[in-house]
Amino acid sequence: MGGGMEAHKNKWIEDWSSARENLEHNFRWTRRNFALVGLFGIAIPVFVYKGIIKEFHMQDEDAGRPPRKFL
């Protein structure tokens, strides 16, 4: 129906998509990767959790209730 309308491939976009599809095969652990996983995968979630728990305990204290236990 609409023959002869092939798209022109962009070399840089094709290279980028190929690298993205094969990321798990080309990935290497480096100091920087360990640091990023430690920061965003462990440290920040722990600090956010601790902040939320602290807020709950402050609300319990204001309401005159004993602090709730989490985990």
Side-chain angles (χ1 to χ4, degrees):
M1 221 165 127
M5 300 183 69
E6 293 82 22
H8 297 286
K9 294 183 179 180
N10 187 328
K11 178 188 180 306
W12 294 282
I13 293 176
E14 293 297 324
D15 291 344
W16 176 78
S17 65
S18 174
R20 188 174 166 139
E21 289 172 0
N22 297 316
L23 181 64
E24 66 273 9
H25 302 294
N26 299 325
F27 182 77
R28 297 283 182 252
W29 281 105
T30 61
R31 284 186 193 174
R32 182 176 184 270
N33 290 341
F34 276 121
L36 289 173
V37 167
L39 179 66
F40 293 108
I42 298 170
I44 290 178
V46 167
F47 287 128
V48 168
Y49 176 78
K50 294 288 186 180
I52 291 169
I53 297 304
K54 183 179 177 186
E55 182 68 28
F56 281 144
H57 289 319
M58 287 181 359
Q59 288 177 0
D60 288 340
E61 184 180 316
D62 291 342
R65 296 185 299 248
R68 293 175 270 184
K69 296 187 190 248
F70 300 97
L71 294 178

Short mmCIF file of all heavy atoms in Angstrom, two decimals:
data_model
loop_
_atom_site.label_atom_id
_atom_site.label_comp_id
_atom_site.label_asym_id
_atom_site.label_seq_id
_atom_site.Cartn_x
_atom_site.Cartn_y
_atom_site.Cartn_z
N MET A 1 0.81 -1.19 0.00
CA MET A 1 0.00 0.00 0.00
C MET A 1 0.86 1.26 0.00
O MET A 1 0.65 2.13 -0.83
CB MET A 1 -0.89 0.00 1.25
CG MET A 1 -2.27 0.47 0.93
SD MET A 1 -3.35 0.06 2.27
CE MET A 1 -4.03 1.64 2.54
N GLY A 2 1.80 1.34 0.93
CA GLY A 2 2.66 2.51 0.99
C GLY A 2 4.10 2.12 0.72
O GLY A 2 5.00 2.51 1.45
N GLY A 3 4.35 1.33 -0.29
CA GLY A 3 5.69 0.80 -0.56
C GLY A 3 6.69 1.89 -0.93
O GLY A 3 6.34 2.99 -1.35
N GLY A 4 7.96 1.57 -0.76
CA GLY A 4 9.02 2.50 -1.11
C GLY A 4 9.20 3.62 -0.11
O GLY A 4 9.75 4.67 -0.46
N MET A 5 8.76 3.45 1.14
CA MET A 5 8.85 4.53 2.13
C MET A 5 9.75 4.12 3.30
O MET A 5 9.44 4.36 4.45
CB MET A 5 7.46 4.90 2.65
CG MET A 5 6.54 5.37 1.55
SD MET A 5 4.94 5.86 2.16
CE MET A 5 5.34 7.32 3.07
N GLU A 6 10.87 3.47 3.00
CA GLU A 6 11.77 3.04 4.06
C GLU A 6 12.37 4.25 4.76
O GLU A 6 12.68 5.26 4.14
CB GLU A 6 12.90 2.17 3.50
CG GLU A 6 12.44 0.84 2.95
CD GLU A 6 11.91 0.96 1.52
OE1 GLU A 6 12.27 1.91 0.84
OE2 GLU A 6 11.13 0.08 1.13
N ALA A 7 12.56 4.12 6.07
CA ALA A 7 13.15 5.21 6.84
C ALA A 7 14.67 5.16 6.71
O ALA A 7 15.26 4.09 6.59
CB ALA A 7 12.75 5.08 8.30
N HIS A 8 15.28 6.31 6.73
CA HIS A 8 16.74 6.38 6.71
C HIS A 8 17.24 6.23 8.14
O HIS A 8 16.84 6.98 9.03
CB HIS A 8 17.22 7.73 6.14
CG HIS A 8 16.80 7.92 4.72
ND1 HIS A 8 17.40 7.26 3.67
CD2 HIS A 8 15.82 8.68 4.17
CE1 HIS A 8 16.83 7.60 2.54
NE2 HIS A 8 15.85 8.47 2.81
N LYS A 9 18.10 5.23 8.36
CA LYS A 9 18.59 4.97 9.71
C LYS A 9 19.68 5.96 10.08
O LYS A 9 20.55 6.27 9.28
CB LYS A 9 19.12 3.55 9.80
CG LYS A 9 18.05 2.52 9.63
CD LYS A 9 18.60 1.13 9.79
CE LYS A 9 17.48 0.12 9.65
NZ LYS A 9 17.97 -1.25 9.79
N ASN A 10 19.61 6.43 11.30
CA ASN A 10 20.63 7.32 11.84
C ASN A 10 21.67 6.46 12.55
O ASN A 10 21.35 5.72 13.49
CB ASN A 10 19.99 8.32 12.81
CG ASN A 10 20.96 9.37 13.26
OD1 ASN A 10 22.16 9.14 13.38
ND2 ASN A 10 20.43 10.56 13.54
N LYS A 11 22.93 6.54 12.15
CA LYS A 11 23.99 5.69 12.68
C LYS A 11 24.13 5.84 14.19
O LYS A 11 24.27 4.85 14.92
CB LYS A 11 25.31 6.01 12.00
CG LYS A 11 26.48 5.22 12.51
CD LYS A 11 27.78 5.74 11.93
CE LYS A 11 28.99 4.98 12.40
NZ LYS A 11 29.16 4.87 13.81
N TRP A 12 24.09 7.05 14.71
CA TRP A 12 24.30 7.29 16.13
C TRP A 12 23.14 6.74 16.96
O TRP A 12 23.35 6.19 18.03
CB TRP A 12 24.50 8.78 16.39
CG TRP A 12 25.77 9.26 15.78
CD1 TRP A 12 27.04 9.09 16.24
CD2 TRP A 12 25.90 9.95 14.54
NE1 TRP A 12 27.95 9.64 15.37
CE2 TRP A 12 27.28 10.19 14.32
CE3 TRP A 12 24.99 10.40 13.58
CZ2 TRP A 12 27.77 10.84 13.20
CZ3 TRP A 12 25.48 11.06 12.47
CH2 TRP A 12 26.86 11.27 12.29
N ILE A 13 21.93 6.88 16.47
CA ILE A 13 20.78 6.34 17.19
C ILE A 13 20.82 4.82 17.18
O ILE A 13 20.53 4.17 18.19
CB ILE A 13 19.47 6.88 16.59
CG1 ILE A 13 19.37 8.37 16.85
CG2 ILE A 13 18.27 6.13 17.15
CD1 ILE A 13 18.18 9.04 16.24
N GLU A 14 21.21 4.22 16.08
CA GLU A 14 21.32 2.77 16.00
C GLU A 14 22.41 2.26 16.95
O GLU A 14 22.24 1.24 17.62
CB GLU A 14 21.61 2.32 14.57
CG GLU A 14 20.48 2.58 13.61
CD GLU A 14 19.22 1.81 13.94
OE1 GLU A 14 19.32 0.65 14.41
OE2 GLU A 14 18.12 2.36 13.75
N ASP A 15 23.55 2.96 17.02
CA ASP A 15 24.62 2.56 17.95
C ASP A 15 24.16 2.67 19.39
O ASP A 15 24.44 1.79 20.22
CB ASP A 15 25.86 3.43 17.74
CG ASP A 15 26.56 3.16 16.42
OD1 ASP A 15 26.28 2.11 15.80
OD2 ASP A 15 27.38 4.00 16.01
N TRP A 16 23.45 3.75 19.71
CA TRP A 16 22.96 3.95 21.08
C TRP A 16 21.97 2.86 21.46
O TRP A 16 22.02 2.29 22.55
CB TRP A 16 22.32 5.33 21.20
CG TRP A 16 21.72 5.58 22.53
CD1 TRP A 16 22.36 5.92 23.68
CD2 TRP A 16 20.33 5.47 22.86
NE1 TRP A 16 21.47 6.07 24.71
CE2 TRP A 16 20.21 5.79 24.23
CE3 TRP A 16 19.20 5.16 22.15
CZ2 TRP A 16 19.00 5.78 24.89
CZ3 TRP A 16 17.98 5.16 22.81
CH2 TRP A 16 17.91 5.48 24.17
N SER A 17 21.03 2.55 20.56
CA SER A 17 20.02 1.53 20.87
C SER A 17 20.65 0.15 20.98
O SER A 17 20.26 -0.66 21.82
CB SER A 17 18.89 1.54 19.84
OG SER A 17 19.39 1.16 18.57
N SER A 18 21.66 -0.12 20.19
CA SER A 18 22.36 -1.40 20.28
C SER A 18 23.09 -1.51 21.62
O SER A 18 23.04 -2.56 22.28
CB SER A 18 23.35 -1.54 19.13
OG SER A 18 24.11 -2.70 19.28
N ALA A 19 23.74 -0.45 22.05
CA ALA A 19 24.43 -0.46 23.34
C ALA A 19 23.43 -0.61 24.48
O ALA A 19 23.70 -1.30 25.47
CB ALA A 19 25.24 0.82 23.51
N ARG A 20 22.28 0.01 24.36
CA ARG A 20 21.26 -0.08 25.40
C ARG A 20 20.68 -1.48 25.49
O ARG A 20 20.39 -1.99 26.58
CB ARG A 20 20.16 0.94 25.10
CG ARG A 20 19.19 1.08 26.20
CD ARG A 20 18.21 2.18 25.92
NE ARG A 20 17.10 2.05 26.83
CZ ARG A 20 16.53 3.05 27.43
NH1 ARG A 20 16.93 4.26 27.20
NH2 ARG A 20 15.55 2.85 28.25
N GLU A 21 20.50 -2.13 24.36
CA GLU A 21 19.96 -3.49 24.36
C GLU A 21 20.94 -4.49 24.95
O GLU A 21 20.52 -5.53 25.47
CB GLU A 21 19.61 -3.91 22.93
CG GLU A 21 18.41 -3.20 22.36
CD GLU A 21 18.19 -3.49 20.89
OE1 GLU A 21 19.00 -4.25 20.31
OE2 GLU A 21 17.24 -2.94 20.33
N ASN A 22 22.23 -4.21 24.86
CA ASN A 22 23.25 -5.15 25.33
C ASN A 22 23.95 -4.67 26.60
O ASN A 22 25.06 -5.10 26.89
CB ASN A 22 24.29 -5.35 24.23
CG ASN A 22 23.67 -5.98 23.00
OD1 ASN A 22 22.90 -6.91 23.11
ND2 ASN A 22 24.01 -5.46 21.84
N LEU A 23 23.31 -3.81 27.36
CA LEU A 23 23.93 -3.23 28.55
C LEU A 23 24.36 -4.29 29.55
O LEU A 23 25.45 -4.23 30.11
CB LEU A 23 22.97 -2.24 29.20
CG LEU A 23 23.49 -1.54 30.44
CD1 LEU A 23 24.68 -0.67 30.08
CD2 LEU A 23 22.40 -0.71 31.07
N GLU A 24 23.52 -5.29 29.79
CA GLU A 24 23.86 -6.29 30.79
C GLU A 24 25.06 -7.14 30.37
O GLU A 24 25.75 -7.71 31.23
CB GLU A 24 22.66 -7.19 31.11
CG GLU A 24 22.21 -8.08 29.97
CD GLU A 24 21.23 -7.42 29.02
OE1 GLU A 24 20.99 -6.21 29.13
OE2 GLU A 24 20.70 -8.13 28.16
N HIS A 25 25.36 -7.21 29.10
CA HIS A 25 26.53 -7.96 28.63
C HIS A 25 27.82 -7.13 28.72
O HIS A 25 28.91 -7.70 28.85
CB HIS A 25 26.33 -8.42 27.19
CG HIS A 25 25.13 -9.28 27.02
ND1 HIS A 25 25.00 -10.53 27.59
CD2 HIS A 25 23.97 -9.07 26.35
CE1 HIS A 25 23.83 -11.05 27.27
NE2 HIS A 25 23.18 -10.18 26.52
N ASN A 26 27.70 -5.83 28.63
CA ASN A 26 28.87 -4.95 28.61
C ASN A 26 29.15 -4.27 29.93
O ASN A 26 30.13 -3.53 30.04
CB ASN A 26 28.69 -3.87 27.53
CG ASN A 26 28.54 -4.49 26.16
OD1 ASN A 26 29.15 -5.50 25.85
ND2 ASN A 26 27.71 -3.89 25.33
N PHE A 27 28.32 -4.49 30.95
CA PHE A 27 28.47 -3.79 32.22
C PHE A 27 29.68 -4.31 32.99
O PHE A 27 29.95 -5.50 33.04
CB PHE A 27 27.21 -3.99 33.06
CG PHE A 27 27.24 -3.27 34.37
CD1 PHE A 27 27.02 -1.92 34.42
CD2 PHE A 27 27.53 -3.95 35.54
CE1 PHE A 27 27.05 -1.24 35.64
CE2 PHE A 27 27.56 -3.30 36.74
CZ PHE A 27 27.33 -1.94 36.80
N ARG A 28 30.43 -3.40 33.61
CA ARG A 28 31.57 -3.76 34.45
C ARG A 28 31.42 -3.04 35.79
O ARG A 28 31.07 -1.86 35.84
CB ARG A 28 32.88 -3.32 33.80
CG ARG A 28 33.17 -3.99 32.49
CD ARG A 28 33.67 -5.42 32.71
NE ARG A 28 33.98 -6.04 31.45
CZ ARG A 28 33.24 -7.01 30.89
NH1 ARG A 28 32.15 -7.43 31.49
NH2 ARG A 28 33.56 -7.53 29.75
N TRP A 29 31.68 -3.78 36.87
CA TRP A 29 31.66 -3.15 38.20
C TRP A 29 32.93 -2.35 38.40
O TRP A 29 34.03 -2.88 38.24
CB TRP A 29 31.55 -4.21 39.29
CG TRP A 29 30.17 -4.73 39.45
CD1 TRP A 29 29.68 -5.92 39.04
CD2 TRP A 29 29.07 -4.03 40.06
NE1 TRP A 29 28.34 -6.02 39.35
CE2 TRP A 29 27.95 -4.89 39.98
CE3 TRP A 29 28.93 -2.79 40.65
CZ2 TRP A 29 26.71 -4.52 40.49
CZ3 TRP A 29 27.69 -2.44 41.15
CH2 TRP A 29 26.60 -3.29 41.07
N THR A 30 32.77 -1.10 38.75
CA THR A 30 33.90 -0.23 39.05
C THR A 30 33.67 0.40 40.42
O THR A 30 32.61 0.23 41.01
CB THR A 30 34.02 0.89 37.99
OG1 THR A 30 32.83 1.68 38.02
CG2 THR A 30 34.22 0.32 36.59
N ARG A 31 34.65 1.12 40.91
CA ARG A 31 34.48 1.82 42.18
C ARG A 31 33.31 2.79 42.13
O ARG A 31 32.54 2.93 43.07
CB ARG A 31 35.73 2.60 42.54
CG ARG A 31 36.84 1.77 43.04
CD ARG A 31 37.97 2.68 43.48
NE ARG A 31 39.17 1.91 43.68
CZ ARG A 31 40.33 2.43 43.94
NH1 ARG A 31 40.45 3.74 44.03
NH2 ARG A 31 41.38 1.67 44.12
N ARG A 32 33.19 3.47 41.01
CA ARG A 32 32.10 4.45 40.86
C ARG A 32 30.74 3.75 40.90
O ARG A 32 29.81 4.24 41.54
CB ARG A 32 32.27 5.20 39.54
CG ARG A 32 31.23 6.26 39.33
CD ARG A 32 31.51 7.04 38.04
NE ARG A 32 30.57 8.12 37.88
CZ ARG A 32 29.41 7.99 37.22
NH1 ARG A 32 29.08 6.84 36.67
NH2 ARG A 32 28.59 9.01 37.11
N ASN A 33 30.62 2.60 40.23
CA ASN A 33 29.35 1.88 40.24
C ASN A 33 29.01 1.39 41.65
O ASN A 33 27.86 1.45 42.07
CB ASN A 33 29.40 0.69 39.28
CG ASN A 33 29.42 1.13 37.85
OD1 ASN A 33 29.07 2.25 37.53
ND2 ASN A 33 29.86 0.25 36.96
N PHE A 34 30.02 0.87 42.37
CA PHE A 34 29.78 0.44 43.75
C PHE A 34 29.33 1.62 44.60
O PHE A 34 28.41 1.50 45.43
CB PHE A 34 31.04 -0.17 44.36
CG PHE A 34 31.22 -1.62 44.04
CD1 PHE A 34 32.35 -2.06 43.38
CD2 PHE A 34 30.27 -2.56 44.42
CE1 PHE A 34 32.53 -3.39 43.09
CE2 PHE A 34 30.44 -3.90 44.13
CZ PHE A 34 31.57 -4.32 43.46
N ALA A 35 29.97 2.76 44.42
CA ALA A 35 29.60 3.94 45.20
C ALA A 35 28.17 4.39 44.88
O ALA A 35 27.41 4.73 45.80
CB ALA A 35 30.58 5.08 44.92
N LEU A 36 27.79 4.38 43.62
CA LEU A 36 26.43 4.79 43.25
C LEU A 36 25.38 3.82 43.79
O LEU A 36 24.33 4.25 44.28
CB LEU A 36 26.31 4.89 41.73
CG LEU A 36 27.04 6.07 41.09
CD1 LEU A 36 27.00 5.97 39.58
CD2 LEU A 36 26.46 7.38 41.55
N VAL A 37 25.67 2.53 43.72
CA VAL A 37 24.74 1.54 44.28
C VAL A 37 24.64 1.71 45.80
O VAL A 37 23.55 1.66 46.38
CB VAL A 37 25.16 0.11 43.91
CG1 VAL A 37 24.40 -0.92 44.73
CG2 VAL A 37 24.95 -0.14 42.43
N GLY A 38 25.77 1.93 46.44
CA GLY A 38 25.76 2.13 47.88
C GLY A 38 24.99 3.37 48.28
O GLY A 38 24.25 3.37 49.25
N LEU A 39 25.17 4.44 47.52
CA LEU A 39 24.50 5.70 47.85
C LEU A 39 23.00 5.63 47.57
O LEU A 39 22.17 5.83 48.46
CB LEU A 39 25.13 6.85 47.06
CG LEU A 39 24.52 8.22 47.29
CD1 LEU A 39 24.77 8.67 48.72
CD2 LEU A 39 25.09 9.22 46.31
N PHE A 40 22.64 5.35 46.32
CA PHE A 40 21.23 5.41 45.92
C PHE A 40 20.46 4.13 46.23
O PHE A 40 19.23 4.15 46.31
CB PHE A 40 21.11 5.72 44.43
CG PHE A 40 21.58 7.10 44.09
CD1 PHE A 40 22.76 7.30 43.41
CD2 PHE A 40 20.84 8.20 44.48
CE1 PHE A 40 23.21 8.58 43.10
CE2 PHE A 40 21.27 9.49 44.17
CZ PHE A 40 22.46 9.67 43.49
N GLY A 41 21.15 3.02 46.40
CA GLY A 41 20.46 1.76 46.66
C GLY A 41 20.37 1.41 48.13
O GLY A 41 19.51 0.63 48.52
N ILE A 42 21.28 1.98 48.95
CA ILE A 42 21.30 1.61 50.36
C ILE A 42 21.18 2.83 51.26
O ILE A 42 20.27 2.92 52.09
CB ILE A 42 22.57 0.82 50.70
CG1 ILE A 42 22.60 -0.49 49.89
CG2 ILE A 42 22.66 0.53 52.18
CD1 ILE A 42 23.89 -1.24 49.94
N ALA A 43 22.09 3.78 51.14
CA ALA A 43 22.17 4.90 52.09
C ALA A 43 20.93 5.79 52.05
O ALA A 43 20.33 6.07 53.10
CB ALA A 43 23.43 5.72 51.81
N ILE A 44 20.54 6.27 50.90
CA ILE A 44 19.40 7.18 50.82
C ILE A 44 18.10 6.50 51.27
O ILE A 44 17.36 7.09 52.06
CB ILE A 44 19.29 7.80 49.41
CG1 ILE A 44 20.44 8.78 49.21
CG2 ILE A 44 17.94 8.48 49.22
CD1 ILE A 44 20.50 9.42 47.85
N PRO A 45 17.81 5.26 50.83
CA PRO A 45 16.60 4.61 51.35
C PRO A 45 16.61 4.43 52.87
O PRO A 45 15.57 4.59 53.52
CB PRO A 45 16.56 3.26 50.63
CG PRO A 45 17.30 3.48 49.37
CD PRO A 45 18.38 4.46 49.72
N VAL A 46 17.77 4.13 53.44
CA VAL A 46 17.86 3.97 54.90
C VAL A 46 17.58 5.30 55.59
O VAL A 46 16.82 5.35 56.57
CB VAL A 46 19.23 3.40 55.31
CG1 VAL A 46 19.46 3.54 56.81
CG2 VAL A 46 19.35 1.96 54.89
N PHE A 47 18.17 6.39 55.10
CA PHE A 47 17.94 7.70 55.71
C PHE A 47 16.48 8.14 55.57
O PHE A 47 15.90 8.72 56.49
CB PHE A 47 18.87 8.76 55.13
CG PHE A 47 20.28 8.62 55.60
CD1 PHE A 47 21.33 8.58 54.70
CD2 PHE A 47 20.58 8.52 56.95
CE1 PHE A 47 22.63 8.45 55.13
CE2 PHE A 47 21.87 8.40 57.40
CZ PHE A 47 22.91 8.36 56.49
N VAL A 48 15.86 7.86 54.44
CA VAL A 48 14.45 8.20 54.26
C VAL A 48 13.60 7.39 55.24
O VAL A 48 12.69 7.93 55.89
CB VAL A 48 14.00 7.96 52.80
CG1 VAL A 48 12.50 8.02 52.65
CG2 VAL A 48 14.68 8.95 51.87
N TYR A 49 13.88 6.10 55.38
CA TYR A 49 13.14 5.25 56.30
C TYR A 49 13.29 5.75 57.74
O TYR A 49 12.31 5.86 58.47
CB TYR A 49 13.64 3.81 56.18
CG TYR A 49 12.99 2.87 57.17
CD1 TYR A 49 11.71 2.39 56.96
CD2 TYR A 49 13.67 2.46 58.31
CE1 TYR A 49 11.10 1.55 57.87
CE2 TYR A 49 13.07 1.62 59.23
CZ TYR A 49 11.80 1.15 58.99
OH TYR A 49 11.21 0.32 59.89
N LYS A 50 14.51 6.07 58.13
CA LYS A 50 14.75 6.56 59.49
C LYS A 50 13.99 7.87 59.73
O LYS A 50 13.44 8.08 60.81
CB LYS A 50 16.24 6.78 59.74
CG LYS A 50 17.07 5.53 59.74
CD LYS A 50 16.80 4.72 60.97
CE LYS A 50 17.75 3.54 61.03
NZ LYS A 50 17.54 2.73 62.20
N GLY A 51 13.96 8.75 58.75
CA GLY A 51 13.22 10.01 58.89
C GLY A 51 11.74 9.78 59.05
O GLY A 51 11.07 10.45 59.84
N ILE A 52 11.18 8.84 58.28
CA ILE A 52 9.76 8.55 58.39
C ILE A 52 9.43 7.96 59.76
O ILE A 52 8.44 8.35 60.39
CB ILE A 52 9.33 7.58 57.26
CG1 ILE A 52 9.41 8.30 55.91
CG2 ILE A 52 7.93 7.03 57.50
CD1 ILE A 52 9.26 7.40 54.71
N ILE A 53 10.27 7.04 60.23
CA ILE A 53 10.04 6.44 61.55
C ILE A 53 10.13 7.50 62.64
O ILE A 53 9.32 7.51 63.59
CB ILE A 53 11.06 5.31 61.80
CG1 ILE A 53 10.88 4.19 60.77
CG2 ILE A 53 10.96 4.75 63.20
CD1 ILE A 53 9.51 3.61 60.73
N LYS A 54 11.09 8.40 62.53
CA LYS A 54 11.22 9.48 63.51
C LYS A 54 9.96 10.33 63.55
O LYS A 54 9.47 10.71 64.62
CB LYS A 54 12.44 10.33 63.19
CG LYS A 54 12.70 11.42 64.18
CD LYS A 54 13.93 12.21 63.81
CE LYS A 54 14.14 13.36 64.76
NZ LYS A 54 15.24 14.21 64.36
N GLU A 55 9.42 10.63 62.38
CA GLU A 55 8.19 11.42 62.30
C GLU A 55 7.01 10.69 62.96
O GLU A 55 6.23 11.29 63.70
CB GLU A 55 7.86 11.72 60.84
CG GLU A 55 6.64 12.57 60.63
CD GLU A 55 6.82 14.00 61.12
OE1 GLU A 55 7.96 14.49 61.14
OE2 GLU A 55 5.80 14.61 61.50
N PHE A 56 6.89 9.39 62.72
CA PHE A 56 5.84 8.61 63.37
C PHE A 56 5.99 8.63 64.89
O PHE A 56 5.01 8.77 65.62
CB PHE A 56 5.83 7.17 62.87
CG PHE A 56 5.18 6.98 61.54
CD1 PHE A 56 5.67 6.05 60.65
CD2 PHE A 56 4.06 7.71 61.16
CE1 PHE A 56 5.09 5.85 59.41
CE2 PHE A 56 3.46 7.52 59.94
CZ PHE A 56 3.98 6.59 59.05
N HIS A 57 7.21 8.48 65.38
CA HIS A 57 7.45 8.49 66.82
C HIS A 57 7.12 9.86 67.42
O HIS A 57 6.57 9.94 68.52
CB HIS A 57 8.88 8.10 67.15
CG HIS A 57 9.17 6.65 66.92
ND1 HIS A 57 8.31 5.63 67.24
CD2 HIS A 57 10.26 6.04 66.40
CE1 HIS A 57 8.84 4.47 66.93
NE2 HIS A 57 10.03 4.69 66.40
N MET A 58 7.43 10.93 66.71
CA MET A 58 7.09 12.27 67.21
C MET A 58 5.57 12.44 67.27
O MET A 58 5.06 13.03 68.22
CB MET A 58 7.73 13.33 66.32
CG MET A 58 9.22 13.44 66.52
SD MET A 58 10.13 14.69 65.58
CE MET A 58 9.01 15.51 64.57
N GLN A 59 4.84 11.95 66.28
CA GLN A 59 3.38 12.04 66.30
C GLN A 59 2.81 11.22 67.45
O GLN A 59 1.86 11.66 68.10
CB GLN A 59 2.80 11.55 64.97
CG GLN A 59 3.04 12.50 63.83
CD GLN A 59 2.50 11.95 62.52
OE1 GLN A 59 1.96 10.85 62.47
NE2 GLN A 59 2.66 12.72 61.45
N ASP A 60 3.39 10.03 67.68
CA ASP A 60 2.91 9.21 68.80
C ASP A 60 3.17 9.91 70.13
O ASP A 60 2.33 9.89 71.03
CB ASP A 60 3.61 7.85 68.79
CG ASP A 60 3.13 6.95 67.68
OD1 ASP A 60 2.03 7.21 67.15
OD2 ASP A 60 3.85 5.99 67.33
N GLU A 61 4.33 10.54 70.26
CA GLU A 61 4.67 11.26 71.50
C GLU A 61 3.71 12.43 71.71
O GLU A 61 3.24 12.65 72.84
CB GLU A 61 6.11 11.75 71.42
CG GLU A 61 6.60 12.41 72.68
CD GLU A 61 8.03 12.88 72.53
OE1 GLU A 61 8.85 12.12 71.99
OE2 GLU A 61 8.30 14.02 72.94
N ASP A 62 3.40 13.16 70.66
CA ASP A 62 2.48 14.30 70.77
C ASP A 62 1.07 13.84 71.16
O ASP A 62 0.35 14.55 71.86
CB ASP A 62 2.41 15.09 69.46
CG ASP A 62 3.70 15.82 69.16
OD1 ASP A 62 4.51 16.00 70.09
OD2 ASP A 62 3.90 16.21 67.99
N ALA A 63 0.68 12.67 70.69
CA ALA A 63 -0.66 12.16 70.97
C ALA A 63 -0.72 11.39 72.29
O ALA A 63 -1.80 10.94 72.70
CB ALA A 63 -1.13 11.26 69.84
N GLY A 64 0.42 11.20 72.95
CA GLY A 64 0.44 10.50 74.23
C GLY A 64 0.38 9.00 74.11
O GLY A 64 0.01 8.31 75.06
N ARG A 65 0.72 8.47 72.94
CA ARG A 65 0.72 7.02 72.72
C ARG A 65 2.14 6.49 72.85
O ARG A 65 3.10 7.23 72.62
CB ARG A 65 0.22 6.69 71.32
CG ARG A 65 -1.21 7.06 71.06
CD ARG A 65 -1.64 6.58 69.69
NE ARG A 65 -0.85 7.20 68.63
CZ ARG A 65 -1.33 8.08 67.75
NH1 ARG A 65 -2.58 8.45 67.80
NH2 ARG A 65 -0.55 8.59 66.83
N PRO A 66 2.29 5.21 73.17
CA PRO A 66 3.63 4.63 73.16
C PRO A 66 4.12 4.51 71.71
O PRO A 66 3.31 4.34 70.79
CB PRO A 66 3.46 3.26 73.79
CG PRO A 66 2.02 2.93 73.63
CD PRO A 66 1.30 4.25 73.60
N PRO A 67 5.41 4.62 71.48
CA PRO A 67 5.90 4.54 70.09
C PRO A 67 5.63 3.17 69.49
O PRO A 67 5.74 2.14 70.14
CB PRO A 67 7.40 4.81 70.22
CG PRO A 67 7.72 4.81 71.65
CD PRO A 67 6.47 4.85 72.44
N ARG A 68 5.25 3.20 68.22
CA ARG A 68 5.00 1.95 67.48
C ARG A 68 6.31 1.29 67.11
O ARG A 68 7.32 1.96 66.96
CB ARG A 68 4.19 2.23 66.22
CG ARG A 68 2.79 2.69 66.53
CD ARG A 68 2.08 3.07 65.27
NE ARG A 68 2.35 4.50 65.03
CZ ARG A 68 1.83 5.20 64.05
NH1 ARG A 68 1.05 4.63 63.17
NH2 ARG A 68 2.09 6.48 63.92
N LYS A 69 6.27 -0.02 66.95
CA LYS A 69 7.48 -0.76 66.56
C LYS A 69 7.37 -1.08 65.07
O LYS A 69 6.36 -1.58 64.60
CB LYS A 69 7.60 -2.03 67.38
CG LYS A 69 7.79 -1.76 68.84
CD LYS A 69 8.08 -3.02 69.60
CE LYS A 69 8.00 -2.71 71.07
NZ LYS A 69 9.15 -2.74 71.80
N PHE A 70 8.44 -0.81 64.37
CA PHE A 70 8.54 -1.11 62.95
C PHE A 70 9.69 -2.06 62.74
O PHE A 70 10.77 -1.89 63.29
CB PHE A 70 8.76 0.16 62.13
CG PHE A 70 7.66 1.16 62.29
CD1 PHE A 70 7.77 2.21 63.18
CD2 PHE A 70 6.50 1.05 61.55
CE1 PHE A 70 6.77 3.14 63.33
CE2 PHE A 70 5.48 1.97 61.69
CZ PHE A 70 5.62 3.02 62.57
N LEU A 71 9.48 -3.02 61.90
CA LEU A 71 10.46 -4.07 61.63
C LEU A 71 10.78 -4.73 62.92
O LEU A 71 11.42 -5.40 63.37
CB LEU A 71 11.71 -3.55 60.93
CG LEU A 71 11.50 -3.03 59.53
CD1 LEU A 71 12.82 -2.50 58.98
CD2 LEU A 71 11.03 -4.13 58.59
#
